Amino acid sequence: MTEFVEEVRSRVVRLLQMANTTDDRLRKQIIAYADATPEPPLMGADGIGTTGCSRCRRTMWQQRDTEGPVWVCAFCGHVEAVTTREHEGSEA
């Protein structure tokens, strides 16, 4: 896969397209912002995934890292792996 294809799929490119500017200073600020902030929470069929934090009992949002989805606490920053549960009656 070419570097261009990867760039087209990136969050930075989406933000730059939305900004619709050729101002190099502003474009650098947008790139720095994208690099310094996490991806938005994952949106599933039921909306944004949330759960309770095991440390501070506040809200955790489902995020994606390089190895897949994780829970990230919006308050204390605690990170937990997302575990899947089998539904009762389902066959393994």
Side-chain angles (χ1 to χ4, degrees), residues 10-21 27 30-31 33-35 37:
S10 78
R11 178 174 173 226
V12 172
V13 170
R14 290 191 310 269
L15 292 171
L16 290 171
Q17 287 172 341
M18 287 189 293
N20 194 24
T21 183
R27 292 175 67 82
I30 291 169
I31 293 167
Y33 164 79
D35 289 344
T37 57

Side-chain angles (χ1 to χ4, degrees), residues 11-84:
R11 178 174 173 226
V12 172
V13 170
R14 290 191 310 269
L15 292 171
L16 290 171
Q17 287 172 341
M18 287 189 293
N20 194 24
T21 183
T22 57
D23 180 338
D24 285 336
R25 187 178 58 82
L26 183 56
R27 292 175 67 82
K28 287 178 184 176
Q29 287 175 337
I30 291 169
I31 293 167
Y33 164 79
D35 289 344
T37 57
E39 291 288 324
L42 298 177
M43 180 74 77
D46 298 326
I48 296 172
T50 63
T51 191
C53 179
S54 61
R55 289 193 180 169
C56 71
R57 305 290 184 218
R58 304 244 178 142
T59 302
M60 295 183 92
W61 302 93
Q62 192 172 9
Q63 298 280 339
R64 185 179 313 275
D65 72 1
T66 57
E67 296 181 18
V70 293
W71 295 113
V72 179
C73 181
F75 185 75
C76 73
H78 175 64
V79 177
E80 293 179 9
V82 172
T83 57
T84 58

